[in-house]
Amino acid sequence: MAVTIRRAKREDLPTLEWYGLHTPHREIIADAYRLQERGDGTMLLADVNGFPVGQICIDFLRKRPSGRATLWALRVFQPFRGLGLGAMLVRAAEQIVIRRGVTVAELGVDRDNSGVLPFYERLGYEHCGRERGQFLYHTPEGKLIRVAIDQWLLCKQLPEKEEPDSGSGLRLAAE
């Protein structure tokens, strides 16, 4: 299976709803893309035959004062889980963070999703705090949704410069 890791394009946005699974999150997906357009974020996709089967977002704005980049919205379409795409997306996101001169990547794991903690720990992430709060979004029908946040924060210290390819072969697709 040939996988290309690339930045999202505007025409990817409807497909990222994954046949209606994420249609209620249309506003969140569009906001992440706008962050990329402004240069304050990046949306990376794992593309298989022109279909985005995975994604991860990077927010350079939210934690800028603390010198951290936030990785969020890592997801892999169900039929493609267990193939290493999540790890590929995290490593690609880390490369982007390093290129921006940021040396700490941070992500949140919902406290009711503790089963993913070993995945992030294998990738070198360590517990560094807890975050509570909420975020709001509108569904395509205009309904306001309020989501409570109760997360463990995980951090990873990244090298100041990209390390030479360690044989993983991971490269981002040309723009």
Side-chain angles (χ1 to χ4, degrees), residues 109-119 121 152:
V109 173
D110 290 338
R111 290 175 54 87
D112 62 357
N113 191 17
S114 61
V116 302
L117 289 173
F119 166 75
E121 290 165 350
W152 286 294

Side-chain angles (χ1 to χ4, degrees), residues 1-4 47-53:
M1 173 178 71
V3 178
T4 302
D47 183 295
V48 174
N49 294 325
F51 186 81
V53 300

Side-chain angles (χ1 to χ4, degrees), residues 7 26 31 39 65 89 92 94 107 110 159:
R7 291 181 198 272
R26 183 177 292 162
D31 286 347
L89 284 162
E94 290 171 354
L107 54 89
D110 290 338

Side-chain angles (χ1 to χ4, degrees), residues 2 9 11 23-24 28 30 35 46 58 63 69 75 83 85-86 102-103 105-106 129 132 135 145 149 153 160 162:
K9 299 177 277 191
E11 56 266 25
T23 298
I28 298 168
L35 199 64
I58 309 166
K63 299 273 179 119
R75 59 185 173 110
L83 302 174
L85 297 177
V102 180
T103 59
E106 179 181 283
R132 290 182 170 170
F135 72 92
I145 305 294
I149 298 170
L153 294 179
E160 289 186 25
E162 267 186 284

Side-chain angles (χ1 to χ4, degrees), residues 43-149:
M43 270 182 100
L44 292 178
L45 306 180
D47 183 295
V48 174
N49 294 325
F51 186 81
V53 300
Q55 78 167 42
I56 191 168
C57 298
I58 309 166
D59 185 332
F60 291 105
L61 192 58
R62 184 168 178 256
K63 299 273 179 119
R64 183 178 288 161
S66 65
R68 297 176 180 202
T70 303
L71 308 185
W72 64 285
L74 173 63
R75 59 185 173 110
V76 175
F77 196 45
Q78 181 63 42
F80 294 88
R81 290 184 184 162
L83 302 174
L85 297 177
M88 286 176 64
L89 284 162
V90 171
R91 285 193 302 270
E94 290 171 354
Q95 288 179 3
I96 298 287
V97 171
I98 292 166
R99 289 179 196 154
R100 283 286 288 259
V102 180
T103 59
V104 178
E106 179 181 283
L107 54 89
V109 173
D110 290 338
R111 290 175 54 87
D112 62 357
N113 191 17
S114 61
V116 302
L117 289 173
F119 166 75
Y120 289 115
E121 290 165 350
R122 280 193 304 276
L123 294 175
Y125 285 82
E126 299 176 347
H127 291 261
C128 62
R130 185 174 178 182
E131 186 170 67
R132 290 182 170 170
Q134 67 176 352
F135 72 92
L136 308 171
Y137 68 94
H138 292 89
T139 66
E141 300 77 32
K143 181 179 178 186
L144 179 65
I145 305 294
R146 185 179 315 267
V147 179
I149 298 170

